[in-house]
Amino acid sequence: MTDTWDLLNQRAELVAPELIGWQLVRHIKGQRIIGRIVETEAYDQIDAASHSFKGQTPRNSVMFGPSGMAYVYFTYGMHYCMNVVCGPNGYGSAVLIRALEPAHGLQLMRHHRPHITSTINLCNGPAKLCQALLITKQLNGHDLKSLPLQLLPQKVTPDIIQTTRIGISRDTARRWRFYEKDNPFVSQL
DNA sequence: TTTAGGATGAACT
DNA sequence: GTTCATCCTAAAA
């Protein structure tokens, strides 16, 4: 039997729904933050909306590496977003983590996002969750099987809704966004 | 409640 | 010079 991590070697559109329900653990100076993944999007090198579409560059090179690594990119001059690299080594694809349900270390998350009052708004967006978990370019290329940023597979299979992706302007027809049905921590915009 | 625009910088045309 | 896998605030409806 192959282990759970081998599932990340599939195409991004197949991996993305699988990651719903998994936990993301962040260790910072002896403290622990945990979020449960409730929303994802797939990006693939055959897809015009993907950073990997036009081939490998210094920015997106992690996407072309082995699966299970974190691809963290900087955008809009101020935000980071985090992906789980998937597909075989050499193939540029990844799953964007778009929202987490806060599960542990809420106090620390709030500390990282000072003006946020409602728990709902802590991690319900790809850049928001990176702020809450202090995920920056330092973690680009980090192996998610290990701390200080670790992915924890879960056995339960949640009810999943599939829709088109958010915030892109090309290849908008692909229904490569997945989220947990009725979960209030899914992104709004 | 919904919409419009500003922040802010790296990558791309 | 334009775009960008975003977020937040303020103004309008």
Side-chain angles (χ1 to χ4, degrees), chain A residues 41-61:
Chain A
E41 282 178 359
Y43 289 90
D44 188 291
Q45 66 178 39
I46 63 157
D47 153 31
S50 173
H51 293 167
S52 56
F53 184 60
K54 292 181 178 172
Q56 189 166 353
T57 68
R59 183 201 195 198
N60 66 18
S61 64

Side-chain angles (χ1 to χ4, degrees), chain A residues 26-153:
Chain A
R26 176 78 167 111
H27 272 213
I28 301 164
K29 292 188 292 189
Q31 307 211 71
R32 186 175 43 137
I33 296 174
I34 302 179
R36 183 170 166 275
I37 298 171
V38 296
E39 180 181 355
T40 59
E41 282 178 359
Y43 289 90
D44 188 291
Q45 66 178 39
I46 63 157
D47 153 31
S50 173
H51 293 167
S52 56
F53 184 60
K54 292 181 178 172
Q56 189 166 353
T57 68
R59 183 201 195 198
N60 66 18
S61 64
V62 173
M63 281 186 87
F64 290 83
S67 66
M69 305 291 146
Y71 167 48
V72 181
Y73 67 87
F74 184 66
T75 192
Y76 290 102
M78 61 180 75
H79 295 304
Y80 290 101
C81 294
M82 182 209 149
N83 295 252
V84 176
V85 174
C86 56
N89 195 358
Y91 193 85
S93 64
V95 173
L96 174 69
I97 307 301
R98 283 199 59 89
L100 297 175
E101 174 179 342
H104 190 273
L106 297 247
Q107 195 103 6
L108 194 48
M109 291 187 194
R110 289 197 194 91
H111 187 252
H112 295 147
R113 285 175 53 70
H115 7 282
I116 302 305
T117 52
S118 167
T119 303
I120 283 288
N121 294 318
L122 236 30
C123 299
N124 63 341
K128 295 179 187 180
L129 69 90
C130 284
Q131 270 183 240
L133 303 208
L134 225 64
I135 296 170
T136 69
K137 61 185 174 190
Q138 287 186 290
L139 289 167
N140 188 36
H142 170 75
D143 185 348
L144 291 168
K145 289 189 281 300
S146 64
L147 292 172
L149 181 64
Q150 185 171 24
L151 207 48
L152 284 186

